[in-house]
Amino acid sequence: MKKQWASHDCLNIDLDSFNNISAALMHMSSAALMENISVLLSNANMKYPTIEETRLSRLLILKEEFGSVAALAEVLGMSNPSQLSQWINRSPDSKTGKPRSINSASARDIEKKTGKPSGWMDQPVYSDNEKLTHAIDILTGLPKNEIEKIAGIIDIYHQSEEKIINGNGNSK
């Protein structure tokens, strides 16, 4: 039985086929490839989280990173962690009834105080499985020659990683 590289709906690529198509990718210009990928990314079927969901996910990451809501509140200079708890629990706002969420100014302040780059709170968090599914969805929309070019780029990247891992630039 052949080792599968990817399997998604109508796309089944065994590892041998994936490795054998890498040379064909070298014939497409990088600009054309990037343009096509950009179009596909903008039209992909991936469900994107709202900014509120994204910021909540990032806040939960910070909570884990710092160990607790209280520890994170301390880093953020909050004397009382209730605001953090309200964001995490999505407590309804007493005036609007909508779940409390992190506004842009608070997101930038959190980033600054936790040493994260500006905009980090606004970057969606995806599981590895979601990323792989998204990549496969993109690949299934590309013509075969473009898929082959991408496979070649991946192969070149993989070979360069092997050289680094094996040291001195020598492949085993």
Side-chain angles (χ1 to χ4, degrees):
M1 183 172 171
K2 290 188 174 186
K3 190 174 184 182
Q4 287 297 119
W5 173 73
S7 179
H8 179 71
D9 297 335
C10 63
L11 177 67
N12 284 307
I13 304 172
D14 64 67
L15 194 56
D16 292 334
S17 296
F18 178 78
N19 289 330
N20 291 334
I21 60 176
S22 62
L25 287 168
M26 301 313 293
H27 299 290
M28 178 180 233
S29 74
S30 296
L33 181 62
M34 292 310 295
E35 181 180 339
N36 287 319
I37 289 174
S38 294
V39 168
L40 287 166
L41 281 171
S42 66
N43 296 324
N45 293 326
M46 187 174 227
K47 294 177 185 172
Y48 294 99
T50 64
I51 192 67
E52 293 82 8
E53 293 166 335
T54 297
R55 289 178 180 161
L56 175 59
S57 294
R58 291 294 183 173
L59 187 62
L60 293 172
I61 289 170
L62 289 172
K63 178 186 143 202
E64 290 300 315
E65 187 176 310
F66 289 94
S68 68
V69 172
L72 179 56
E74 186 176 327
V75 169
L76 297 176
M78 299 174 149
S79 57
N80 185 342
S82 63
Q83 177 69 55
L84 285 177
S85 295
Q86 290 173 350
W87 285 332
I88 290 169
N89 297 323
R90 299 189 51 119
S91 301
D93 184 292
S94 60
K95 295 176 187 171
T96 66
K98 294 181 180 179
R100 294 182 189 267
S101 60
I102 304 167
N103 64 29
S104 292
S106 295
R108 302 298 79 83
D109 188 52
I110 291 168
E111 292 162 348
K112 185 176 180 180
K113 291 178 178 175
T114 58
K116 301 297 182 192
S118 182
W120 181 83
M121 292 286 292
D122 298 343
Q123 298 301 311
V125 179
Y126 297 112
S127 70
D128 288 342
N129 190 45
E130 288 171 319
K131 290 175 192 174
L132 182 59
T133 299
H134 184 58
I136 291 169
D137 286 343
I138 291 168
L139 288 173
T140 58
L142 290 173
K144 184 179 178 183
N145 67 325
E146 292 182 24
I147 293 172
E148 291 171 348
K149 187 156 192 159
I150 293 168
I153 293 167
I154 292 169
D155 190 40
I156 291 167
Y157 175 77
H158 181 68
Q159 289 173 11
S160 67
E161 276 191 333
E162 284 180 357
K163 287 180 181 181
I164 292 168
I165 291 169
N166 294 329
N168 300 327
N170 298 322
S171 296
K172 284 189 175 179

